[in-house]
Amino acid sequence: MEKGFLILIIVFFVVGVLHFVSMRTIKLSESKKTRFRKFFWYFYGIIFMLSGGINLIEKGEFHWSFTLQLIIGLVTVILNLLGKIETKTKQV
């Protein structure tokens, strides 16, 4: 019971921090938001690649799901590098 309560408190804390950060990013200029998005996609792709690669190495045998995860992470990083992952801003 105590272990579950600790996990609940940690989850609430992490969600609160994420909410606080997302509320702060609303007030940033568009150029800073673009840089943060670019950083996010690099971070996301690298984490995805690492997760897939580590799982492939750890299992010691071929798994389609981990290979697909590795490939999706690599494609995400490459597309971000080429500038193909862009979010369009609304024009008023």
Side-chain angles (χ1 to χ4, degrees):
M1 180 74 172
E2 295 83 23
K3 199 176 200 181
F5 185 68
L6 179 64
I7 292 172
L8 177 74
I9 296 299
I10 291 171
V11 168
F12 280 164
F13 178 74
V14 169
V15 169
V17 168
L18 287 174
H19 177 69
F20 179 75
V21 169
S22 67
M23 288 293 112
R24 295 296 237 172
T25 57
I26 289 174
K27 299 174 185 175
L28 294 176
S29 67
E30 195 59 40
S31 63
K32 285 187 180 181
K33 285 181 188 177
T34 304
R35 280 191 307 196
F36 281 132
R37 285 185 199 116
K38 196 164 208 49
F39 170 77
F40 167 77
W41 284 113
Y42 279 123
F43 180 74
Y44 181 78
I46 290 169
I47 292 296
F48 220 60
M49 282 176 17
L50 284 174
S51 175
I54 288 171
N55 282 328
L56 271 174
I57 292 169
E58 190 176 88
K59 298 296 179 195
E61 58 186 47
F62 183 76
H63 286 277
W64 278 105
S65 59
F66 299 140
T67 305
L68 185 63
Q69 189 176 4
L70 184 74
I71 291 170
I72 289 173
L74 183 64
V75 167
T76 302
V77 170
I78 290 172
L79 287 176
N80 195 26
L81 186 65
L82 296 175
K84 301 294 182 183
I85 299 179
E86 296 287 331
T87 55
K88 305 292 181 196
T89 57
K90 290 184 178 181
Q91 301 212 355
V92 178

Coordinates of all heavy atoms in Angstrom, one line a residue:
M1 N 0.8 -1.2 0.0 CA 0.0 0.0 0.0 C 0.9 1.3 0.0 O 0.6 2.2 -0.7 CB -0.9 0.0 1.2 CG -1.8 1.1 1.3 SD -3.1 1.0 0.1 CE -4.1 2.3 0.6
E2 N 1.9 1.3 0.8 CA 2.8 2.4 0.9 C 3.5 2.7 -0.4 O 3.8 3.8 -0.9 CB 3.8 2.3 2.0 CG 3.2 2.3 3.4 CD 2.7 0.9 3.8 OE1 3.2 -0.1 3.2 OE2 1.9 0.8 4.7
K3 N 3.9 1.5 -1.1 CA 4.6 1.6 -2.4 C 3.7 2.3 -3.4 O 4.1 3.1 -4.2 CB 5.0 0.2 -2.8 CG 6.1 0.2 -3.8 CD 6.5 -1.3 -4.0 CE 7.8 -1.4 -4.7 NZ 8.2 -2.8 -4.9
G4 N 2.4 1.9 -3.5 CA 1.5 2.4 -4.4 C 1.2 3.9 -4.2 O 1.1 4.7 -5.1
F5 N 1.2 4.3 -2.9 CA 1.0 5.7 -2.6 C 2.2 6.5 -3.0 O 2.0 7.6 -3.5 CB 0.7 5.9 -1.1 CG 0.4 7.3 -0.7 CD1 -0.8 7.8 -1.1 CD2 1.3 8.0 0.1 CE1 -1.1 9.1 -0.7 CE2 1.0 9.3 0.4 CZ -0.2 9.9 0.0
L6 N 3.4 6.0 -2.8 CA 4.6 6.7 -3.3 C 4.6 6.9 -4.8 O 4.9 8.0 -5.3 CB 5.8 5.9 -2.8 CG 7.2 6.5 -3.2 CD1 7.4 7.9 -2.6 CD2 8.3 5.6 -2.9
I7 N 4.2 5.8 -5.5 CA 4.1 6.0 -7.0 C 3.1 7.0 -7.4 O 3.3 7.8 -8.3 CB 3.8 4.6 -7.6 CG1 5.0 3.6 -7.4 CG2 3.5 4.7 -9.1 CD1 4.8 2.2 -7.8
L8 N 2.0 7.0 -6.7 CA 0.9 8.0 -7.0 C 1.4 9.4 -6.8 O 1.2 10.3 -7.6 CB -0.3 7.8 -6.1 CG -1.4 8.8 -6.2 CD1 -2.2 8.5 -7.5 CD2 -2.4 8.6 -5.0
I9 N 2.2 9.7 -5.7 CA 2.7 11.0 -5.4 C 3.7 11.4 -6.5 O 3.8 12.5 -6.9 CB 3.3 11.0 -4.0 CG1 2.2 10.8 -2.9 CG2 4.1 12.3 -3.7 CD1 1.1 11.9 -2.9
I10 N 4.6 10.5 -6.9 CA 5.6 10.7 -7.9 C 4.9 11.1 -9.2 O 5.3 12.0 -9.9 CB 6.6 9.6 -8.0 CG1 7.4 9.4 -6.8 CG2 7.4 9.7 -9.3 CD1 8.3 8.2 -6.7
V11 N 3.9 10.3 -9.6 CA 3.2 10.6 -10.8 C 2.5 12.0 -10.8 O 2.6 12.8 -11.8 CB 2.1 9.5 -11.1 CG1 1.2 9.9 -12.3 CG2 2.8 8.2 -11.5
F12 N 1.9 12.3 -9.7 CA 1.3 13.7 -9.6 C 2.3 14.7 -9.6 O 2.1 15.8 -10.3 CB 0.5 13.8 -8.2 CG -0.8 13.2 -8.3 CD1 -1.5 12.9 -7.1 CD2 -1.5 12.8 -9.4 CE1 -2.8 12.3 -7.1 CE2 -2.7 12.3 -9.5 CZ -3.4 12.0 -8.3
F13 N 3.5 14.5 -9.0 CA 4.6 15.5 -9.1 C 5.1 15.7 -10.5 O 5.2 16.9 -11.0 CB 5.7 15.1 -8.2 CG 6.9 16.0 -8.2 CD1 6.8 17.3 -7.6 CD2 8.0 15.7 -8.9 CE1 7.9 18.2 -7.6 CE2 9.1 16.6 -8.9 CZ 9.0 17.8 -8.3
V14 N 5.3 14.6 -11.2 CA 5.8 14.7 -12.6 C 4.8 15.4 -13.5 O 5.1 16.3 -14.3 CB 6.1 13.3 -13.2 CG1 6.4 13.3 -14.7 CG2 7.3 12.8 -12.4
V15 N 3.5 15.1 -13.4 CA 2.4 15.7 -14.1 C 2.4 17.2 -13.8 O 2.2 18.1 -14.7 CB 1.1 15.0 -13.9 CG1 -0.1 15.8 -14.5 CG2 1.1 13.6 -14.5
G16 N 2.5 17.6 -12.6 CA 2.5 19.0 -12.2 C 3.7 19.7 -12.8 O 3.5 20.9 -13.2
V17 N 4.8 19.1 -12.8 CA 6.0 19.8 -13.4 C 5.8 20.0 -14.9 O 6.1 21.0 -15.4 CB 7.3 19.0 -13.1 CG1 8.5 19.5 -13.9 CG2 7.6 19.1 -11.6
L18 N 5.3 19.0 -15.5 CA 5.0 19.1 -17.0 C 4.0 20.1 -17.3 O 4.1 20.9 -18.2 CB 4.6 17.7 -17.5 CG 5.6 16.6 -17.7 CD1 5.0 15.3 -18.1 CD2 6.7 17.1 -18.6
H19 N 3.0 20.2 -16.5 CA 1.9 21.3 -16.6 C 2.6 22.6 -16.4 O 2.3 23.6 -17.2 CB 0.8 21.0 -15.7 CG -0.3 22.1 -15.7 ND1 -1.1 22.2 -16.8 CD2 -0.6 23.1 -14.9 CE1 -1.9 23.3 -16.6 NE2 -1.6 23.8 -15.4
F20 N 3.4 22.8 -15.4 CA 4.0 24.1 -15.2 C 4.9 24.5 -16.4 O 4.8 25.7 -16.8 CB 4.8 24.0 -13.9 CG 5.6 25.3 -13.6 CD1 4.9 26.4 -13.0 CD2 6.9 25.4 -13.8 CE1 5.6 27.5 -12.7 CE2 7.6 26.5 -13.5 CZ 6.9 27.6 -13.0
V21 N 5.7 23.6 -16.9 CA 6.6 23.9 -18.0 C 5.7 24.2 -19.2 O 6.1 25.2 -20.0 CB 7.5 22.7 -18.3 CG1 8.2 22.9 -19.6 CG2 8.5 22.6 -17.1
S22 N 4.7 23.5 -19.5 CA 3.9 23.7 -20.7 C 3.2 25.1 -20.6 O 3.0 25.8 -21.6 CB 2.9 22.6 -20.9 OG 1.9 22.6 -19.9
M23 N 2.8 25.5 -19.4 CA 2.1 26.8 -19.2 C 3.2 27.9 -19.4 O 2.8 29.0 -20.0 CB 1.5 26.9 -17.8 CG 0.3 26.1 -17.6 SD -1.1 26.7 -18.7 CE -1.2 25.4 -19.8
R24 N 4.4 27.7 -19.1 CA 5.5 28.7 -19.3 C 5.8 28.8 -20.8 O 6.2 29.9 -21.2 CB 6.7 28.3 -18.5 CG 6.5 28.4 -17.0 CD 6.2 29.7 -16.5 NE 7.2 30.1 -15.6 CZ 7.3 31.3 -15.1 NH1 6.5 32.2 -15.5 NH2 8.2 31.6 -14.1
T25 N 5.7 27.7 -21.5 CA 6.1 27.8 -22.9 C 5.1 28.5 -23.7 O 5.4 29.0 -24.8 CB 6.3 26.4 -23.5 OG1 5.2 25.6 -23.3 CG2 7.5 25.7 -22.9
I26 N 3.8 28.7 -23.3 CA 2.8 29.4 -24.0 C 3.2 30.9 -24.1 O 3.0 31.5 -25.1 CB 1.5 29.3 -23.3 CG1 0.9 27.9 -23.4 CG2 0.5 30.3 -23.8 CD1 -0.3 27.6 -22.6
K27 N 3.9 31.4 -23.1 CA 4.3 32.8 -23.1 C 5.6 33.1 -23.9 O 5.9 34.3 -24.0 CB 4.5 33.3 -21.7 CG 3.2 33.1 -20.9 CD 3.5 33.5 -19.4 CE 2.2 33.2 -18.6 NZ 2.4 33.3 -17.2
L28 N 6.2 32.1 -24.4 CA 7.5 32.3 -25.2 C 7.2 32.9 -26.6 O 6.2 32.7 -27.1 CB 8.3 31.0 -25.2 CG 8.8 30.5 -23.9 CD1 9.5 29.2 -24.2 CD2 9.8 31.4 -23.3
S29 N 8.3 33.5 -27.1 CA 8.1 33.9 -28.5 C 8.1 32.8 -29.5 O 8.6 31.6 -29.1 CB 9.3 34.9 -28.8 OG 10.5 34.2 -28.9
E30 N 7.7 33.0 -30.7 CA 7.6 31.9 -31.7 C 8.9 31.3 -32.1 O 9.0 30.1 -32.3 CB 6.9 32.5 -32.9 CG 6.4 31.4 -33.9 CD 5.4 30.4 -33.2 OE1 4.5 30.9 -32.4 OE2 5.5 29.2 -33.5
S31 N 10.0 32.1 -32.1 CA 11.3 31.6 -32.4 C 11.8 30.6 -31.3 O 12.4 29.6 -31.7 CB 12.3 32.7 -32.6 OG 12.5 33.5 -31.4
K32 N 11.6 31.0 -30.1 CA 12.0 30.1 -29.0 C 11.2 28.8 -29.0 O 11.7 27.7 -28.8 CB 11.9 30.8 -27.6 CG 13.0 31.8 -27.4 CD 12.9 32.3 -26.0 CE 14.0 33.3 -25.8 NZ 14.0 33.8 -24.4
K33 N 9.9 28.9 -29.3 CA 9.0 27.7 -29.4 C 9.5 26.8 -30.5 O 9.5 25.6 -30.4 CB 7.6 28.1 -29.7 CG 6.9 28.7 -28.5 CD 5.4 29.0 -28.9 CE 4.7 29.7 -27.8 NZ 3.3 30.1 -28.2
T34 N 9.9 27.4 -31.6 CA 10.5 26.6 -32.7 C 11.7 25.8 -32.3 O 11.9 24.6 -32.7 CB 10.7 27.5 -34.0 OG1 9.5 28.2 -34.3 CG2 11.2 26.7 -35.2
R35 N 12.6 26.5 -31.6 CA 13.8 25.8 -31.1 C 13.5 24.7 -30.2 O 14.1 23.6 -30.2 CB 14.8 26.8 -30.5 CG 15.6 27.7 -31.4 CD 16.6 28.4 -30.7 NE 16.0 29.2 -29.6 CZ 16.6 30.2 -29.0 NH1 17.8 30.5 -29.3 NH2 16.0 30.8 -28.1
F36 N 12.6 24.9 -29.2 CA 12.2 23.9 -28.3 C 11.6 22.7 -29.0 O 11.8 21.6 -28.6 CB 11.2 24.4 -27.3 CG 11.9 25.2 -26.2 CD1 11.4 26.4 -25.8 CD2 13.0 24.7 -25.5 CE1 12.0 27.2 -24.8 CE2 13.6 25.4 -24.5 CZ 13.1 26.7 -24.1
R37 N 10.8 23.0 -30.0 CA 10.2 21.8 -30.8 C 11.2 21.0 -31.5 O 11.2 19.8 -31.5 CB 9.2 22.4 -31.8 CG 7.9 22.8 -31.2 CD 6.9 23.2 -32.3 NE 5.8 24.0 -31.8 CZ 5.6 25.3 -32.1 NH1 6.3 25.9 -33.0 NH2 4.6 25.9 -31.5
K38 N 12.2 21.7 -32.1 CA 13.3 21.0 -32.8 C 14.1 20.2 -31.8 O 14.4 19.0 -32.1 CB 14.2 22.1 -33.5 CG 15.1 21.5 -34.5 CD 15.7 22.6 -35.3 CE 16.0 22.3 -36.7 NZ 15.1 21.5 -37.5
F39 N 14.4 20.8 -30.6 CA 15.1 20.0 -29.6 C 14.3 18.8 -29.2 O 14.8 17.7 -29.0 CB 15.4 20.9 -28.4 CG 15.9 20.1 -27.2 CD1 17.2 19.7 -27.1 CD2 15.1 19.9 -26.1 CE1 17.7 19.0 -26.1 CE2 15.5 19.2 -25.0 CZ 16.9 18.7 -25.0
F40 N 13.0 19.0 -29.0 CA 12.1 17.9 -28.5 C 12.2 16.7 -29.5 O 12.3 15.6 -29.1 CB 10.7 18.4 -28.4 CG 9.7 17.3 -28.3 CD1 9.5 16.6 -27.1 CD2 8.9 16.9 -29.3 CE1 8.6 15.5 -26.9 CE2 8.0 15.8 -29.2 CZ 7.9 15.2 -28.0
W41 N 12.1 17.0 -30.8 CA 12.1 15.9 -31.8 C 13.4 15.2 -31.9 O 13.5 14.0 -32.1 CB 11.7 16.5 -33.2 CG 10.2 16.7 -33.3 CD1 9.6 17.9 -33.4 CD2 9.2 15.7 -33.2 NE1 8.2 17.7 -33.4 CE2 7.9 16.4 -33.3 CE3 9.2 14.3 -33.0 CZ2 6.7 15.7 -33.3 CZ3 7.9 13.7 -33.0 CH2 6.7 14.4 -33.1
Y42 N 14.5 15.9 -31.7 CA 15.8 15.3 -31.6 C 15.9 14.4 -30.4 O 16.3 13.2 -30.4 CB 17.0 16.3 -31.5 CG 17.4 16.8 -32.9 CD1 17.4 18.2 -33.1 CD2 17.8 16.0 -33.9 CE1 17.8 18.7 -34.3 CE2 18.2 16.5 -35.1 CZ 18.2 17.9 -35.3 OH 18.6 18.4 -36.5
F43 N 15.5 14.9 -29.2 CA 15.4 14.1 -28.0 C 14.6 12.9 -28.1 O 14.9 11.8 -27.7 CB 15.0 15.1 -26.9 CG 14.9 14.4 -25.5 CD1 16.1 14.1 -24.8 CD2 13.7 14.1 -25.0 CE1 16.0 13.5 -23.6 CE2 13.6 13.5 -23.7 CZ 14.8 13.2 -23.0
Y44 N 13.4 13.1 -28.7 CA 12.4 12.0 -28.8 C 13.0 10.9 -29.7 O 12.9 9.7 -29.4 CB 11.1 12.5 -29.4 CG 10.0 11.5 -29.6 CD1 9.3 11.1 -28.5 CD2 9.7 11.0 -30.8 CE1 8.3 10.2 -28.7 CE2 8.7 10.1 -31.0 CZ 8.0 9.6 -29.9 OH 7.0 8.7 -30.1
G45 N 13.6 11.3 -30.9 CA 14.1 10.3 -31.8 C 15.3 9.5 -31.2 O 15.4 8.3 -31.3
I46 N 16.2 10.3 -30.5 CA 17.3 9.6 -29.9 C 16.9 8.6 -28.8 O 17.4 7.5 -28.7 CB 18.3 10.7 -29.4 CG1 19.0 11.3 -30.6 CG2 19.4 10.0 -28.5 CD1 19.8 12.6 -30.2
I47 N 16.0 9.1 -27.9 CA 15.5 8.2 -26.9 C 14.8 6.9 -27.5 O 15.0 5.8 -27.0 CB 14.5 8.9 -25.9 CG1 15.2 10.0 -25.1 CG2 13.7 8.0 -25.0 CD1 16.3 9.4 -24.2
F48 N 14.0 7.1 -28.6 CA 13.4 6.0 -29.2 C 14.4 5.0 -29.8 O 14.3 3.8 -29.7 CB 12.4 6.6 -30.3 CG 11.1 5.9 -30.4 CD1 10.3 5.8 -29.4 CD2 10.8 5.2 -31.6 CE1 9.0 5.2 -29.5 CE2 9.5 4.6 -31.7 CZ 8.7 4.6 -30.6
M49 N 15.4 5.6 -30.4 CA 16.5 4.7 -31.0 C 17.2 4.0 -29.9 O 17.5 2.8 -30.0 CB 17.5 5.6 -31.8 CG 17.0 6.0 -33.1 SD 18.1 7.0 -34.1 CE 19.7 6.9 -33.3
L50 N 17.6 4.7 -28.8 CA 18.3 4.0 -27.7 C 17.4 2.9 -27.1 O 17.9 1.8 -26.8 CB 18.6 5.0 -26.6 CG 19.8 6.0 -26.9 CD1 20.0 7.0 -25.8 CD2 21.1 5.1 -27.0
S51 N 16.1 3.2 -26.9 CA 15.3 2.2 -26.3 C 15.2 0.9 -27.2 O 15.3 -0.2 -26.7 CB 13.9 2.8 -26.1 OG 13.0 1.8 -25.7
G52 N 15.0 1.1 -28.5 CA 15.0 0.0 -29.4 C 16.3 -0.7 -29.5 O 16.3 -2.0 -29.4
G53 N 17.4 0.0 -29.5 CA 18.7 -0.7 -29.6 C 19.1 -1.4 -28.3 O 19.6 -2.6 -28.4
I54 N 18.8 -0.8 -27.2 CA 19.1 -1.5 -25.9 C 18.3 -2.8 -25.8 O 18.7 -3.8 -25.4 CB 18.9 -0.5 -24.7 CG1 20.0 0.5 -24.8 CG2 18.9 -1.3 -23.4 CD1 19.8 1.6 -23.8
N55 N 17.0 -2.7 -26.2 CA 16.1 -3.9 -26.1 C 16.6 -5.0 -27.0 O 16.5 -6.1 -26.7 CB 14.7 -3.5 -26.3 CG 14.0 -2.9 -25.2 OD1 14.3 -3.2 -24.0 ND2 13.1 -2.0 -25.4
L56 N 17.0 -4.6 -28.2 CA 17.6 -5.6 -29.2 C 18.8 -6.3 -28.6 O 18.9 -7.5 -28.7 CB 17.9 -4.9 -30.5 CG 16.8 -4.8 -31.5 CD1 17.3 -4.0 -32.7 CD2 16.4 -6.2 -32.0
I57 N 19.7 -5.5 -28.0 CA 20.9 -6.1 -27.5 C 20.6 -6.9 -26.2 O 21.1 -8.0 -26.1 CB 21.9 -5.0 -27.1 CG1 22.4 -4.3 -28.4 CG2 23.1 -5.5 -26.3 CD1 23.2 -3.0 -28.1
E58 N 19.7 -6.4 -25.4 CA 19.3 -7.1 -24.2 C 18.7 -8.5 -24.4 O 18.9 -9.5 -23.7 CB 18.4 -6.2 -23.3 CG 18.2 -6.7 -21.9 CD 17.3 -5.7 -21.2 OE1 16.1 -5.9 -21.2 OE2 17.9 -4.8 -20.5
K59 N 17.8 -8.5 -25.4 CA 17.1 -9.8 -25.7 C 18.0 -10.8 -26.4 O 17.8 -12.0 -26.2 CB 15.9 -9.5 -26.6 CG 14.8 -8.6 -26.0 CD 14.2 -9.2 -24.7 CE 13.2 -8.2 -24.2 NZ 12.8 -8.5 -22.9
G60 N 19.0 -10.3 -27.1 CA 19.9 -11.2 -27.8 C 19.4 -11.9 -29.0 O 20.1 -12.8 -29.5
E61 N 18.2 -11.6 -29.4 CA 17.6 -12.2 -30.6 C 16.8 -11.1 -31.4 O 16.6 -10.1 -30.8 CB 16.7 -13.4 -30.3 CG 15.6 -13.1 -29.4 CD 14.8 -14.3 -28.9 OE1 15.5 -15.3 -28.5 OE2 13.6 -14.3 -29.0
F62 N 16.5 -11.5 -32.6 CA 15.8 -10.5 -33.5 C 14.3 -10.4 -33.1 O 13.6 -11.3 -33.0 CB 15.9 -10.9 -34.9 CG 15.3 -10.0 -35.9 CD1 15.9 -8.8 -36.2 CD2 14.1 -10.2 -36.4 CE1 15.4 -7.9 -37.1 CE2 13.5 -9.3 -37.3 CZ 14.1 -8.2 -37.6
H63 N 13.9 -9.1 -32.9 CA 12.5 -8.8 -32.6 C 12.0 -7.7 -33.5 O 12.7 -6.7 -33.6 CB 12.2 -8.3 -31.1 CG 12.3 -9.4 -30.1 ND1 11.3 -10.2 -29.8 CD2 13.3 -9.9 -29.4 CE1 11.6 -11.1 -28.9 NE2 12.9 -10.9 -28.6
W64 N 10.9 -7.9 -34.2 CA 10.5 -6.9 -35.2 C 10.1 -5.6 -34.5 O 10.4 -4.5 -35.0 CB 9.2 -7.4 -35.9 CG 9.6 -8.2 -37.1 CD1 9.5 -9.6 -37.2 CD2 10.2 -7.8 -38.3 NE1 10.0 -10.0 -38.4 CE2 10.4 -8.9 -39.1 CE3 10.5 -6.6 -38.8 CZ2 11.0 -8.9 -40.4 CZ3 11.1 -6.5 -40.1 CH2 11.3 -7.6 -40.9
S65 N 9.5 -5.7 -33.3 CA 9.0 -4.5 -32.6 C 10.2 -3.6 -32.2 O 10.1 -2.3 -32.4 CB 8.2 -4.8 -31.4 OG 9.0 -5.6 -30.5
F66 N 11.3 -4.1 -31.7 CA 12.4 -3.3 -31.3 C 13.1 -2.8 -32.5 O 13.6 -1.6 -32.5 CB 13.4 -4.1 -30.5 CG 12.7 -4.6 -29.2 CD1 13.0 -5.9 -28.7 CD2 11.8 -3.9 -28.5 CE1 12.4 -6.4 -27.6 CE2 11.2 -4.3 -27.3 CZ 11.5 -5.6 -26.9
T67 N 13.2 -3.6 -33.6 CA 13.8 -3.1 -34.9 C 13.0 -1.9 -35.4 O 13.6 -0.9 -35.9 CB 13.9 -4.2 -35.9 OG1 14.6 -5.3 -35.3 CG2 14.7 -3.8 -37.1
L68 N 11.7 -2.1 -35.4 CA 10.8 -1.0 -35.9 C 11.0 0.3 -35.0 O 11.0 1.4 -35.6 CB 9.4 -1.5 -35.9 CG 8.3 -0.5 -36.5 CD1 8.6 -0.3 -37.9 CD2 6.9 -1.1 -36.3
Q69 N 11.1 0.1 -33.8 CA 11.3 1.2 -32.8 C 12.6 1.9 -33.2 O 12.7 3.2 -33.2 CB 11.3 0.7 -31.4 CG 11.3 1.8 -30.4 CD 11.2 1.2 -29.0 OE1 11.2 0.0 -28.8 NE2 11.1 2.1 -28.0
L70 N 13.7 1.2 -33.4 CA 15.0 1.7 -33.8 C 14.9 2.5 -35.1 O 15.4 3.6 -35.2 CB 16.0 0.6 -33.9 CG 17.4 1.0 -34.2 CD1 18.0 1.6 -32.9 CD2 18.2 -0.2 -34.6
I71 N 14.2 2.0 -36.1 CA 14.0 2.6 -37.4 C 13.2 3.9 -37.3 O 13.5 4.9 -37.9 CB 13.4 1.6 -38.4 CG1 14.4 0.5 -38.7 CG2 13.0 2.3 -39.7 CD1 13.9 -0.7 -39.5
I72 N 12.1 3.8 -36.5 CA 11.3 5.0 -36.4 C 12.0 6.2 -35.7 O 11.9 7.3 -36.1 CB 10.0 4.7 -35.6 CG1 9.1 3.8 -36.5 CG2 9.3 6.0 -35.2 CD1 7.8 3.3 -35.7
G73 N 12.8 5.8 -34.7 CA 13.7 6.8 -34.1 C 14.7 7.4 -35.0 O 14.9 8.7 -35.1
L74 N 15.3 6.6 -35.8 CA 16.3 7.1 -36.8 C 15.6 8.0 -37.9 O 16.1 9.0 -38.2 CB 17.0 5.9 -37.5 CG 18.1 6.2 -38.5 CD1 19.2 6.9 -37.8 CD2 18.5 4.9 -39.2
V75 N 14.4 7.6 -38.3 CA 13.7 8.4 -39.3 C 13.3 9.7 -38.7 O 13.4 10.8 -39.4 CB 12.5 7.6 -39.8 CG1 11.5 8.5 -40.6 CG2 12.9 6.4 -40.7
T76 N 12.9 9.7 -37.5 CA 12.5 11.0 -36.8 C 13.7 11.9 -36.7 O 13.6 13.1 -37.0 CB 12.0 10.7 -35.4 OG1 10.9 9.8 -35.5 CG2 11.6 12.0 -34.7
V77 N 14.9 11.4 -36.4 CA 16.1 12.3 -36.3 C 16.5 12.8 -37.6 O 16.8 14.0 -37.8 CB 17.2 11.5 -35.6 CG1 18.5 12.3 -35.7 CG2 16.9 11.2 -34.1
I78 N 16.4 11.9 -38.7 CA 16.8 12.3 -40.0 C 15.8 13.4 -40.6 O 16.2 14.4 -41.1 CB 16.9 11.1 -40.9 CG1 18.1 10.3 -40.5 CG2 17.0 11.5 -42.4 CD1 18.2 9.0 -41.3
L79 N 14.5 13.1 -40.4 CA 13.5 14.1 -40.9 C 13.7 15.5 -40.2 O 13.5 16.5 -40.8 CB 12.1 13.6 -40.7 CG 11.7 12.5 -41.6 CD1 10.3 12.0 -41.3 CD2 11.7 12.9 -43.1
N80 N 14.0 15.4 -38.9 CA 14.2 16.7 -38.2 C 15.4 17.4 -38.7 O 15.5 18.6 -38.8 CB 14.3 16.4 -36.7 CG 14.1 17.7 -35.8 OD1 13.5 18.6 -36.3 ND2 14.7 17.7 -34.7
L81 N 16.5 16.6 -38.9 CA 17.7 17.2 -39.4 C 17.5 17.9 -40.8 O 18.1 18.9 -41.1 CB 18.8 16.1 -39.6 CG 20.2 16.5 -39.9 CD1 20.8 17.4 -38.8 CD2 21.1 15.3 -40.2
L82 N 16.7 17.2 -41.6 CA 16.4 17.8 -43.0 C 15.3 18.9 -42.9 O 15.1 19.6 -44.0 CB 15.9 16.7 -43.9 CG 16.9 15.6 -44.2 CD1 16.3 14.5 -45.0 CD2 18.1 16.2 -44.9
G83 N 14.7 19.1 -41.8 CA 13.7 20.2 -41.7 C 12.3 19.8 -42.1 O 11.5 20.7 -42.4
K84 N 12.1 18.5 -42.3 CA 10.8 18.1 -42.7 C 9.7 18.0 -41.6 O 8.5 17.9 -41.9 CB 10.9 16.7 -43.4 CG 11.8 16.6 -44.5 CD 11.3 17.5 -45.7 CE 12.3 17.3 -46.9 NZ 11.9 18.2 -48.0
I85 N 10.2 18.0 -40.4 CA 9.2 18.0 -39.3 C 9.1 19.5 -38.8 O 9.9 20.0 -38.1 CB 9.7 17.1 -38.1 CG1 9.9 15.7 -38.5 CG2 8.7 17.2 -36.9 CD1 10.4 14.8 -37.4
E86 N 8.0 20.1 -39.3 CA 7.7 21.5 -39.0 C 6.3 21.6 -38.5 O 5.4 20.9 -39.1 CB 7.9 22.4 -40.2 CG 9.4 22.4 -40.7 CD 10.3 23.2 -39.7 OE1 9.8 24.1 -39.1 OE2 11.5 22.9 -39.7
T87 N 6.0 22.3 -37.5 CA 4.6 22.6 -37.1 C 4.2 23.9 -37.7 O 4.9 24.9 -37.6 CB 4.5 22.6 -35.6 OG1 5.4 23.5 -35.1 CG2 4.8 21.2 -35.0
K88 N 3.1 23.9 -38.3 CA 2.6 25.1 -39.0 C 1.9 26.0 -37.9 O 1.1 25.5 -37.1 CB 1.6 24.8 -40.1 CG 2.1 23.8 -41.1 CD 3.2 24.5 -41.9 CE 3.7 23.5 -43.0 NZ 4.9 23.9 -43.6
T89 N 2.2 27.3 -38.0 CA 1.5 28.2 -37.1 C 0.3 28.7 -37.7 O 0.2 28.9 -39.0 CB 2.4 29.4 -36.7 OG1 2.9 30.0 -37.9 CG2 3.7 28.9 -35.9
K90 N -0.8 29.0 -36.9 CA -2.0 29.6 -37.5 C -1.8 31.0 -37.9 O -1.2 31.8 -37.1 CB -3.1 29.5 -36.4 CG -3.6 28.1 -36.2 CD -4.7 28.1 -35.2 CE -5.3 26.7 -35.0 NZ -6.4 26.7 -34.1
Q91 N -2.3 31.4 -39.0 CA -2.1 32.8 -39.5 C -3.5 33.4 -39.3 O -4.5 32.9 -39.8 CB -1.6 32.8 -40.9 CG -0.3 32.1 -41.0 CD 0.5 32.8 -42.1 OE1 0.1 33.7 -42.8 NE2 1.8 32.4 -42.2
V92 N -3.5 34.5 -38.6 CA -4.8 35.2 -38.4 C -5.0 36.3 -39.4 O -4.2 36.9 -39.8 CB -4.8 35.7 -36.9 CG1 -6.1 36.5 -36.7 CG2 -4.7 34.6 -36.0

